[in-house]
Coordinates of all heavy atoms in Angstrom, one line a residue:
M844 N 117.1 6.2 181.1 CA 116.0 5.8 180.2 C 115.4 7.1 179.7 O 115.1 8.0 180.4 CB 115.0 5.0 180.9 CG 113.8 4.7 180.1 SD 112.6 3.5 180.8 CE 111.7 4.5 181.9
A845 N 115.2 7.2 178.4 CA 114.5 8.4 177.8 C 113.0 8.4 178.1 O 112.4 7.4 178.1 CB 114.8 8.4 176.3
L846 N 112.5 9.6 178.3 CA 111.1 9.8 178.6 C 110.6 10.9 177.7 O 111.2 11.9 177.5 CB 110.9 10.2 180.0 CG 111.4 9.2 181.1 CD1 111.3 9.9 182.5 CD2 110.5 7.9 181.1
F847 N 109.3 10.7 177.2 CA 108.6 11.8 176.5 C 108.1 12.7 177.6 O 107.4 12.3 178.5 CB 107.5 11.2 175.6 CG 108.0 10.5 174.4 CD1 108.0 9.1 174.4 CD2 108.5 11.2 173.3 CE1 108.5 8.5 173.3 CE2 109.0 10.6 172.2 CZ 109.0 9.2 172.2
K848 N 108.3 14.0 177.4 CA 107.8 15.0 178.3 C 107.3 16.2 177.6 O 107.6 16.4 176.4 CB 109.0 15.5 179.2 CG 109.5 14.5 180.2 CD 110.4 15.1 181.2 CE 110.8 14.1 182.2 NZ 111.8 14.6 183.2
R849 N 106.4 17.0 178.2 CA 105.9 18.2 177.6 C 106.2 19.4 178.5 O 106.3 19.2 179.8 CB 104.4 18.1 177.4 CG 103.6 18.1 178.7 CD 102.1 18.5 178.4 NE 101.4 18.5 179.6 CZ 101.2 19.5 180.5 NH1 101.8 20.6 180.2 NH2 100.5 19.4 181.6
Y850 N 106.4 20.5 177.9 CA 106.7 21.7 178.6 C 105.7 22.8 178.0 O 105.6 22.8 176.8 CB 108.1 22.1 178.5 CG 109.1 21.1 179.1 CD1 109.6 20.1 178.4 CD2 109.4 21.2 180.5 CE1 110.4 19.1 178.9 CE2 110.3 20.2 181.0 CZ 110.7 19.2 180.2 OH 111.6 18.2 180.8
S851 N 105.1 23.6 178.9 CA 104.2 24.6 178.3 C 104.3 25.8 179.2 O 104.7 25.8 180.3 CB 102.8 24.0 178.3 OG 102.3 23.7 179.6
A852 N 103.8 26.9 178.5 CA 103.7 28.2 179.2 C 102.6 28.9 178.5 O 102.4 28.9 177.3 CB 105.0 29.0 179.0
D853 N 101.7 29.5 179.3 CA 100.5 30.2 178.8 C 100.6 31.7 179.1 O 101.0 32.1 180.1 CB 99.2 29.5 179.2 CG 99.0 29.6 180.7 OD1 100.0 29.5 181.5 OD2 97.8 29.8 181.1
G854 N 100.1 32.4 178.1 CA 100.0 33.9 178.2 C 101.4 34.6 178.4 O 101.4 35.7 179.0
I855 N 102.5 34.0 177.9 CA 103.7 34.7 178.1 C 103.8 36.0 177.2 O 103.3 36.0 176.1 CB 104.9 33.8 177.9 CG1 105.0 33.3 176.5 CG2 104.9 32.6 178.9 CD1 106.3 32.6 176.2
T856 N 104.4 37.0 177.7 CA 104.5 38.3 177.0 C 105.9 38.8 176.8 O 106.2 39.9 176.2 CB 103.6 39.4 177.6 OG1 104.1 39.5 179.0 CG2 102.2 39.0 177.6
S857 N 106.9 38.1 177.4 CA 108.3 38.5 177.3 C 109.2 37.3 177.2 O 108.7 36.1 177.3 CB 108.7 39.3 178.5 OG 108.6 38.6 179.7
V858 N 110.5 37.5 177.0 CA 111.4 36.3 176.9 C 111.2 35.3 178.0 O 111.1 35.7 179.2 CB 112.9 36.8 176.8 CG1 113.3 37.5 178.0 CG2 113.7 35.6 176.5
T859 N 111.0 34.1 177.7 CA 110.7 33.0 178.7 C 111.5 31.8 178.3 O 111.5 31.3 177.2 CB 109.2 32.7 178.7 OG1 108.4 33.9 179.0 CG2 108.8 31.6 179.7
N860 N 112.2 31.2 179.4 CA 112.8 29.9 179.2 C 111.8 28.8 179.3 O 111.2 28.7 180.4 CB 113.9 29.8 180.3 CG 115.1 30.8 180.1 OD1 115.2 31.4 179.1 ND2 115.9 30.9 181.1
I861 N 111.7 28.1 178.3 CA 110.7 27.0 178.3 C 111.2 25.7 178.8 O 110.6 25.0 179.5 CB 110.1 26.8 176.8 CG1 109.5 28.1 176.3 CG2 109.1 25.7 176.8 CD1 108.4 28.7 177.0
H862 N 112.5 25.4 178.4 CA 113.1 24.1 178.9 C 114.6 24.3 178.9 O 115.2 24.9 177.9 CB 112.8 23.0 177.9 CG 113.5 21.7 178.2 ND1 113.3 21.0 179.4 CD2 114.4 21.1 177.5 CE1 114.1 19.9 179.3 NE2 114.8 19.9 178.2
T863 N 115.3 23.8 179.9 CA 116.7 23.8 180.0 C 117.1 22.3 180.0 O 116.7 21.5 180.8 CB 117.3 24.5 181.3 OG1 116.8 25.8 181.3 CG2 118.8 24.4 181.3
S864 N 118.0 21.9 179.0 CA 118.4 20.6 178.9 C 119.2 20.1 180.1 O 120.1 20.9 180.6 CB 119.2 20.4 177.6 OG 119.7 19.0 177.6
D865 N 118.9 19.0 180.6 CA 119.6 18.4 181.8 C 120.3 17.1 181.4 O 120.5 16.2 182.3 CB 118.7 18.3 183.0 CG 117.5 17.4 182.7 OD1 117.4 16.9 181.5 OD2 116.7 17.1 183.6
A866 N 120.7 17.0 180.1 CA 121.4 15.8 179.7 C 122.6 15.6 180.5 O 123.4 16.6 180.7 CB 121.7 15.9 178.2
V867 N 122.9 14.4 181.1 CA 123.9 14.3 182.1 C 125.3 13.8 181.6 O 126.3 13.8 182.3 CB 123.5 13.3 183.2 CG1 122.3 14.0 184.0 CG2 123.0 12.0 182.7
A868 N 125.3 13.3 180.3 CA 126.6 12.8 179.8 C 126.7 13.2 178.4 O 125.8 13.7 177.7 CB 126.6 11.3 179.9
D869 N 128.0 13.1 177.8 CA 128.2 13.4 176.4 C 127.4 12.6 175.5 O 127.2 13.0 174.3 CB 129.7 13.2 176.1 CG 130.6 14.3 176.8 OD1 130.0 15.4 177.2 OD2 131.8 14.1 176.9
T870 N 126.9 11.4 175.9 CA 126.1 10.6 175.1 C 124.6 10.8 175.2 O 123.8 10.1 174.6 CB 126.5 9.1 175.3 OG1 126.2 8.8 176.7 CG2 127.9 8.8 175.0
N871 N 124.2 11.7 176.1 CA 122.8 12.0 176.3 C 122.4 13.3 175.7 O 123.3 14.2 175.6 CB 122.5 12.0 177.8 CG 122.5 10.7 178.5 OD1 122.8 9.7 177.8 ND2 122.2 10.6 179.7
A872 N 121.2 13.5 175.3 CA 120.7 14.7 174.8 C 119.2 14.8 175.0 O 118.5 13.7 175.2 CB 121.0 14.8 173.3
D873 N 118.6 16.0 175.0 CA 117.2 16.1 174.9 C 116.8 16.5 173.5 O 117.5 17.3 172.9 CB 116.7 17.3 175.8 CG 116.9 16.9 177.3 OD1 117.2 15.8 177.6 OD2 116.7 17.8 178.1
I874 N 115.8 15.9 173.0 CA 115.4 16.1 171.6 C 114.0 16.8 171.5 O 113.1 16.2 171.9 CB 115.4 14.8 170.8 CG1 116.8 14.2 170.9 CG2 115.0 15.0 169.3 CD1 116.9 12.8 170.3
I875 N 114.0 18.0 170.9 CA 112.7 18.6 170.7 C 112.1 18.0 169.5 O 112.6 17.9 168.4 CB 112.9 20.1 170.4 CG1 113.7 20.8 171.5 CG2 111.6 20.8 170.2 CD1 114.1 22.2 171.2
I876 N 110.8 17.5 169.7 CA 110.1 16.8 168.6 C 108.9 17.6 168.1 O 108.3 17.2 167.2 CB 109.8 15.4 168.9 CG1 109.0 15.3 170.2 CG2 111.0 14.5 169.1 CD1 108.5 13.9 170.6
G877 N 108.6 18.7 168.8 CA 107.5 19.5 168.4 C 107.5 20.8 169.3 O 107.8 20.8 170.4
C878 N 107.1 21.9 168.6 CA 107.0 23.2 169.3 C 105.9 24.0 168.6 O 106.0 24.4 167.5 CB 108.3 23.9 169.3 SG 108.2 25.6 170.1
N879 N 104.7 24.2 169.3 CA 103.6 24.9 168.8 C 103.4 26.2 169.6 O 103.5 26.2 170.8 CB 102.3 24.0 168.9 CG 101.2 24.7 168.2 OD1 100.6 25.6 168.8 ND2 100.9 24.2 167.0
I880 N 103.2 27.3 168.9 CA 103.0 28.6 169.5 C 101.7 29.2 169.0 O 101.5 29.3 167.8 CB 104.2 29.5 169.3 CG1 105.5 28.9 169.8 CG2 103.9 30.9 169.9 CD1 106.7 29.7 169.5
A881 N 100.8 29.5 169.9 CA 99.5 30.1 169.6 C 99.4 31.5 170.0 O 99.8 31.9 171.1 CB 98.4 29.3 170.2
N882 N 98.9 32.4 169.1 CA 98.6 33.8 169.4 C 97.4 33.9 170.2 O 96.3 33.6 169.8 CB 98.5 34.5 168.1 CG 98.2 36.0 168.3 OD1 98.1 36.5 169.4 ND2 98.2 36.8 167.2
T883 N 97.5 34.4 171.4 CA 96.3 34.6 172.3 C 96.0 36.1 172.5 O 95.2 36.4 173.3 CB 96.5 33.9 173.7 OG1 97.7 34.5 174.3 CG2 96.7 32.4 173.5
H884 N 96.7 36.9 171.7 CA 96.5 38.4 171.8 C 95.4 38.8 170.8 O 95.0 38.0 169.9 CB 97.8 39.1 171.4 CG 97.8 40.5 171.6 ND1 97.6 41.1 172.8 CD2 98.0 41.5 170.8 CE1 97.6 42.4 172.7 NE2 97.9 42.7 171.4
S885 N 94.9 40.0 170.8 CA 93.8 40.5 170.0 C 94.3 41.1 168.6 O 93.5 41.6 167.9 CB 93.0 41.5 170.7 OG 93.8 42.6 171.1
A886 N 95.6 41.0 168.4 CA 96.2 41.4 167.1 C 97.3 40.5 166.6 O 97.7 39.6 167.4 CB 96.7 42.9 167.3
S887 N 97.7 40.6 165.4 CA 98.9 39.8 164.9 C 100.1 40.1 165.8 O 100.3 41.2 166.2 CB 99.2 40.1 163.5 OG 98.1 39.7 162.7
I888 N 100.9 39.1 166.0 CA 102.1 39.2 166.8 C 103.3 38.6 166.0 O 103.1 38.0 165.0 CB 102.0 38.6 168.1 CG1 101.6 37.1 168.0 CG2 100.9 39.2 168.9 CD1 102.8 36.2 168.4
T889 N 104.5 38.8 166.6 CA 105.7 38.1 166.1 C 106.3 37.4 167.2 O 106.1 37.7 168.4 CB 106.7 39.1 165.4 OG1 107.1 40.0 166.4 CG2 106.1 39.8 164.2
V890 N 107.1 36.4 166.9 CA 107.8 35.6 167.9 C 109.1 35.1 167.5 O 109.4 34.9 166.3 CB 106.9 34.3 168.3 CG1 106.8 33.4 167.2 CG2 107.4 33.7 169.6
D891 N 110.1 35.1 168.4 CA 111.4 34.5 168.2 C 111.5 33.2 169.0 O 111.0 33.2 170.1 CB 112.5 35.4 168.6 CG 112.6 36.7 167.8 OD1 112.0 36.8 166.7 OD2 113.2 37.7 168.3
V892 N 112.2 32.2 168.5 CA 112.5 31.0 169.2 C 113.9 30.7 169.1 O 114.5 30.6 168.0 CB 111.6 29.8 168.7 CG1 111.9 28.5 169.5 CG2 110.1 30.1 168.8
Q893 N 114.6 30.4 170.2 CA 116.0 30.2 170.2 C 116.4 29.0 171.1 O 115.7 28.7 172.1 CB 116.8 31.4 170.8 CG 116.7 32.6 170.0 CD 117.3 33.8 170.7 OE1 116.6 34.6 171.3 NE2 118.7 33.9 170.6
V894 N 117.5 28.3 170.7 CA 118.2 27.4 171.6 C 119.6 28.0 171.7 O 120.3 28.1 170.8 CB 118.3 25.9 171.0 CG1 119.2 25.1 171.8 CG2 116.9 25.3 170.9
G895 N 119.8 28.4 173.0 CA 121.1 29.2 173.2 C 121.0 30.5 172.4 O 120.0 31.2 172.5
N896 N 122.0 30.8 171.6 CA 122.1 32.0 170.8 C 121.7 31.7 169.4 O 121.8 32.6 168.5 CB 123.5 32.6 170.9 CG 123.8 33.1 172.2 OD1 123.0 33.6 172.9 ND2 125.1 32.9 172.6
I897 N 121.2 30.5 169.1 CA 120.8 30.1 167.7 C 119.3 30.3 167.5 O 118.5 29.7 168.3 CB 121.3 28.7 167.4 CG1 122.7 28.5 167.6 CG2 120.8 28.3 166.0 CD1 123.6 29.3 166.8
Y898 N 118.9 31.0 166.5 CA 117.5 31.2 166.2 C 116.9 30.0 165.5 O 117.5 29.6 164.4 CB 117.2 32.5 165.4 CG 117.3 33.7 166.2 CD1 118.5 34.4 166.3 CD2 116.3 34.2 166.9 CE1 118.7 35.6 167.0 CE2 116.3 35.4 167.7 CZ 117.5 36.1 167.7 OH 117.6 37.2 168.4
L899 N 115.9 29.4 166.0 CA 115.1 28.4 165.2 C 114.0 29.1 164.4 O 113.6 28.6 163.4 CB 114.5 27.4 166.2 CG 115.4 26.6 167.1 CD1 114.6 25.7 168.0 CD2 116.4 25.9 166.3
A900 N 113.6 30.3 164.9 CA 112.6 31.2 164.2 C 112.9 32.6 164.6 O 113.2 32.8 165.8 CB 111.2 30.7 164.5
K901 N 112.8 33.5 163.7 CA 113.1 34.9 164.0 C 112.0 35.8 163.4 O 111.7 35.7 162.2 CB 114.4 35.3 163.4 CG 114.8 36.8 163.5 CD 115.3 37.1 164.9 CE 115.8 38.5 165.0 NZ 115.4 39.2 166.2
S902 N 111.3 36.5 164.2 CA 110.2 37.4 163.8 C 109.1 36.7 163.0 O 108.7 37.3 162.0 CB 110.8 38.6 163.0 OG 111.7 39.3 163.8
V903 N 108.8 35.5 163.4 CA 107.7 34.8 162.7 C 106.4 35.5 163.1 O 106.0 35.7 164.2 CB 107.7 33.3 163.1 CG1 106.5 32.6 162.6 CG2 108.9 32.6 162.7
S904 N 105.6 35.8 162.0 CA 104.3 36.5 162.2 C 103.2 35.4 162.5 O 103.1 34.4 161.8 CB 104.0 37.3 161.0 OG 102.7 37.9 161.2
I905 N 102.4 35.7 163.5 CA 101.3 34.8 163.8 C 100.0 35.6 163.8 O 99.9 36.5 164.7 CB 101.4 34.0 165.2 CG1 102.8 33.3 165.2 CG2 100.3 33.1 165.4 CD1 103.1 32.7 166.6
P906 N 99.1 35.4 162.9 CA 97.8 36.2 162.9 C 97.0 35.9 164.1 O 97.1 34.9 164.8 CB 97.1 35.7 161.6 CG 98.2 35.0 160.8 CD 99.2 34.5 161.8
V907 N 96.0 36.8 164.3 CA 95.0 36.6 165.4 C 94.4 35.2 165.3 O 93.9 34.8 164.2 CB 94.0 37.7 165.3 CG1 92.9 37.5 166.4 CG2 94.6 39.1 165.5
G908 N 94.3 34.5 166.4 CA 93.6 33.3 166.5 C 94.3 32.1 165.8 O 93.7 31.1 165.6
S909 N 95.6 32.3 165.5 CA 96.3 31.2 164.7 C 97.4 30.7 165.6 O 97.8 31.3 166.6 CB 96.9 31.8 163.4 OG 95.8 32.1 162.6
S910 N 98.0 29.6 165.1 CA 99.2 29.1 165.7 C 100.2 28.7 164.6 O 99.9 28.6 163.5 CB 98.9 27.9 166.6 OG 98.4 26.8 165.8
V911 N 101.4 28.4 165.1 CA 102.5 28.0 164.2 C 103.3 26.9 164.8 O 103.5 26.9 166.0 CB 103.4 29.2 163.8 CG1 104.2 29.7 165.0 CG2 104.4 28.8 162.7
E912 N 103.6 25.9 164.0 CA 104.4 24.8 164.4 C 105.9 25.1 164.0 O 106.2 25.2 162.9 CB 104.0 23.5 163.7 CG 104.9 22.3 164.1 CD 104.7 21.8 165.5 OE1 103.6 22.0 166.1 OE2 105.6 21.2 166.1
I913 N 106.7 25.4 165.0 CA 108.1 25.9 164.8 C 109.0 24.8 164.4 O 109.8 25.0 163.5 CB 108.6 26.6 166.1 CG1 107.8 27.8 166.4 CG2 110.1 27.0 165.9 CD1 107.8 29.0 165.4
I914 N 108.9 23.7 164.9 CA 109.9 22.6 164.7 C 109.3 21.7 163.6 O 108.3 21.1 163.7 CB 110.1 21.7 165.9 CG1 110.6 22.6 167.1 CG2 111.1 20.6 165.7 CD1 111.9 23.3 166.9
Q915 N 110.0 21.6 162.4 CA 109.6 20.7 161.3 C 110.3 19.4 161.4 O 109.9 18.4 160.8 CB 109.9 21.4 160.0 CG 109.2 22.7 159.8 CD 107.8 22.6 159.3 OE1 107.6 21.7 158.4 NE2 106.9 23.4 159.7
G916 N 111.4 19.3 162.1 CA 112.2 18.1 162.2 C 112.5 17.9 163.7 O 111.7 18.2 164.5
K917 N 113.7 17.4 164.0 CA 114.2 17.2 165.3 C 115.3 18.2 165.6 O 116.1 18.5 164.8 CB 114.7 15.8 165.6 CG 113.8 14.7 165.0 CD 112.5 14.6 165.8 CE 111.7 13.4 165.3 NZ 111.0 13.6 164.1
V918 N 115.3 18.7 166.9 CA 116.4 19.6 167.3 C 117.0 19.0 168.6 O 116.3 18.7 169.5 CB 115.8 21.0 167.6 CG1 116.9 21.9 168.2 CG2 115.2 21.6 166.4
V919 N 118.3 18.8 168.5 CA 119.0 18.2 169.7 C 119.5 19.3 170.6 O 120.1 20.2 170.2 CB 120.2 17.3 169.1 CG1 121.0 16.8 170.3 CG2 119.7 16.2 168.3
M920 N 119.2 19.1 171.9 CA 119.7 20.0 172.9 C 120.7 19.3 173.8 O 120.4 18.2 174.3 CB 118.5 20.5 173.8 CG 117.5 21.3 173.0 SD 116.1 21.8 174.1 CE 116.9 22.9 175.2
E921 N 121.9 19.8 174.0 CA 122.9 19.3 174.9 C 122.7 19.9 176.2 O 122.0 20.9 176.4 CB 124.3 19.5 174.3 CG 124.5 18.7 173.0 CD 125.9 18.9 172.4 OE1 126.6 19.8 172.9 OE2 126.3 18.1 171.6
N922 N 123.5 19.3 177.2 CA 123.4 19.8 178.6 C 123.6 21.3 178.7 O 124.5 21.8 178.2 CB 124.4 19.1 179.4 CG 124.3 19.4 180.9 OD1 123.2 19.6 181.4 ND2 125.4 19.4 181.6
G923 N 122.6 22.0 179.3 CA 122.7 23.4 179.6 C 122.1 24.2 178.5 O 121.9 25.4 178.7
D924 N 121.8 23.7 177.3 CA 121.1 24.4 176.3 C 119.7 24.9 176.8 O 119.0 24.1 177.5 CB 120.9 23.6 175.0 CG 122.2 23.4 174.2 OD1 123.1 24.1 174.5 OD2 122.1 22.6 173.3
I925 N 119.3 26.1 176.4 CA 118.0 26.6 176.9 C 117.2 26.9 175.7 O 117.6 27.7 174.8 CB 118.2 27.9 177.7 CG1 119.1 27.6 179.0 CG2 116.9 28.5 178.1 CD1 119.5 28.8 179.8
L926 N 115.9 26.4 175.7 CA 114.9 26.8 174.7 C 114.2 28.0 175.2 O 113.6 27.9 176.3 CB 114.0 25.6 174.4 CG 112.8 25.9 173.5 CD1 113.2 26.2 172.1 CD2 111.8 24.7 173.6
K927 N 114.2 29.1 174.5 CA 113.5 30.3 174.9 C 112.7 30.9 173.8 O 113.0 30.8 172.6 CB 114.5 31.3 175.5 CG 115.5 31.8 174.6 CD 116.4 32.8 175.3 CE 117.7 33.1 174.5 NZ 118.6 33.9 175.2
V928 N 111.5 31.4 174.2 CA 110.6 32.1 173.3 C 110.4 33.5 173.7 O 110.3 33.9 174.9 CB 109.2 31.3 173.4 CG1 108.2 32.1 172.6 CG2 109.4 29.9 173.0
T929 N 110.5 34.4 172.7 CA 110.3 35.8 172.9 C 109.2 36.3 172.0 O 109.4 36.5 170.8 CB 111.6 36.6 172.6 OG1 112.7 36.0 173.3 CG2 111.5 38.1 172.9
P930 N 108.0 36.6 172.6 CA 106.9 37.0 171.8 C 106.8 38.6 171.9 O 107.2 39.2 172.8 CB 105.7 36.4 172.4 CG 106.1 36.3 173.9 CD 107.6 36.1 173.9
S931 N 106.1 39.2 170.9 CA 105.8 40.6 170.9 C 104.6 40.9 171.8 O 104.4 42.0 172.3 CB 105.7 41.2 169.5 OG 104.5 40.6 168.9
Q932 N 103.7 39.9 171.9 CA 102.5 40.0 172.7 C 102.2 38.6 173.3 O 103.0 37.7 173.0 CB 101.3 40.5 171.9 CG 101.5 42.0 171.5 CD 101.4 43.0 172.6 OE1 100.8 42.7 173.7 NE2 102.1 44.1 172.5
A933 N 101.0 38.4 173.9 CA 100.7 37.1 174.6 C 100.6 35.9 173.6 O 100.0 36.0 172.6 CB 99.4 37.3 175.3
V934 N 101.3 34.9 174.0 CA 101.2 33.6 173.3 C 101.2 32.4 174.3 O 101.6 32.6 175.5 CB 102.5 33.4 172.4 CG1 102.5 34.4 171.3 CG2 103.8 33.3 173.1
D935 N 100.7 31.3 173.8 CA 100.8 30.0 174.6 C 101.8 29.2 173.8 O 101.8 29.1 172.6 CB 99.4 29.3 174.6 CG 98.4 30.0 175.5 OD1 98.8 30.9 176.2 OD2 97.3 29.6 175.5
V936 N 102.6 28.5 174.6 CA 103.7 27.6 174.0 C 103.5 26.2 174.5 O 103.3 26.0 175.7 CB 105.1 28.2 174.4 CG1 106.2 27.3 173.8 CG2 105.3 29.6 174.0
Y937 N 103.6 25.2 173.6 CA 103.6 23.8 174.0 C 104.7 23.1 173.2 O 104.8 23.2 172.0 CB 102.2 23.2 173.5 CG 101.9 21.9 174.1 CD1 101.2 21.8 175.3 CD2 102.4 20.7 173.6 CE1 100.9 20.5 175.9 CE2 102.2 19.5 174.1 CZ 101.4 19.4 175.3 OH 101.1 18.2 175.8
V938 N 105.6 22.4 174.0 CA 106.8 21.8 173.5 C 106.8 20.3 173.9 O 106.5 20.0 175.1 CB 108.1 22.5 174.0 CG1 109.3 21.8 173.4 CG2 108.1 23.9 173.6
S939 N 107.1 19.4 172.9 CA 107.2 18.0 173.2 C 108.7 17.7 173.1 O 109.3 18.0 172.1 CB 106.4 17.2 172.2 OG 105.1 17.4 172.3
I940 N 109.2 17.0 174.1 CA 110.6 16.6 174.2 C 110.9 15.2 174.5 O 110.2 14.7 175.4 CB 111.4 17.6 175.2 CG1 111.4 19.0 174.6 CG2 112.8 17.1 175.5 CD1 112.1 20.0 175.4
L941 N 111.8 14.5 173.9 CA 112.3 13.3 174.3 C 113.5 13.6 175.2 O 114.6 14.0 174.8 CB 112.8 12.4 173.1 CG 113.3 11.0 173.4 CD1 112.2 10.2 174.2 CD2 113.7 10.3 172.2
D942 N 113.3 13.4 176.5 CA 114.2 13.8 177.6 C 115.2 12.6 177.9 O 114.8 11.5 178.2 CB 113.5 14.2 178.8 CG 114.3 14.9 179.8 OD1 115.2 15.6 179.5 OD2 114.0 14.7 181.0
G943 N 116.5 12.9 177.8 CA 117.5 11.9 178.2 C 117.8 10.9 177.1 O 118.1 9.7 177.5
A944 N 117.7 11.2 175.8 CA 117.9 10.2 174.8 C 119.4 9.9 174.8 O 120.3 10.7 175.1 CB 117.5 10.8 173.4
T945 N 119.7 8.7 174.5 CA 121.1 8.2 174.4 C 121.5 7.8 173.0 O 120.7 7.4 172.2 CB 121.4 7.0 175.4 OG1 120.6 6.0 175.0 CG2 121.2 7.4 176.8
A946 N 122.8 7.9 172.7 CA 123.3 7.6 171.4 C 123.5 6.1 171.2 O 123.6 5.4 172.2 CB 124.6 8.3 171.1

């Protein structure tokens, strides 16, 4: 049964694995339905977001006191895929995922 889950990390300053897909069968997947990143540093920063080796965002600039919604649609993660965020300075990350979706 698919479940809605949230994953978050606060104050991260280096590459951080936010979620690793644990889909158990070829017919299962985790679906990212939202990914918000907030700049908590005292200056503008940049951030990269990847699933595996694929960039969903590269060097996205986030001004002081602002946030950015990285996911505009849905992103499917298969078993073992890792969602990782690499900020240039401190950020908070909040991700919403439909865990264990079936075809």
Side-chain angles (χ1 to χ4, degrees):
M844 178 170 78
L846 299 171
F847 288 103
K848 292 188 176 180
R849 70 160 176 89
Y850 298 88
S851 61
D853 62 324
I855 65 170
T856 58
S857 61
V858 61
T859 301
N860 293 346
I861 304 299
H862 173 68
T863 301
S864 177
D865 57 357
V867 293
D869 290 339
T870 58
N871 288 0
D873 292 349
I874 301 171
I875 304 170
I876 55 178
C878 178
N879 187 282
I880 300 175
N882 179 354
T883 58
H884 188 61
S885 59
S887 292
I888 59 107
T889 61
V890 67
D891 297 343
V892 179
Q893 295 173 262
V894 172
N896 294 323
I897 304 299
Y898 284 94
L899 302 179
K901 176 80 173 136
S902 299
V903 172
S904 181
I905 306 175
V907 176
S909 295
S910 64
V911 63
E912 179 70 28
I913 297 296
I914 306 297
Q915 300 273 325
K917 312 294 183 280
V918 175
V919 176
M920 296 177 68
E921 295 182 343
N922 188 33
D924 285 348
I925 299 171
L926 173 66
K927 60 185 168 184
V928 174
T929 308
S931 62
Q932 294 293 332
V934 297
D935 289 352
V936 179
Y937 193 95
V938 179
S939 298
I940 291 183
L941 181 58
D942 191 35
T945 58

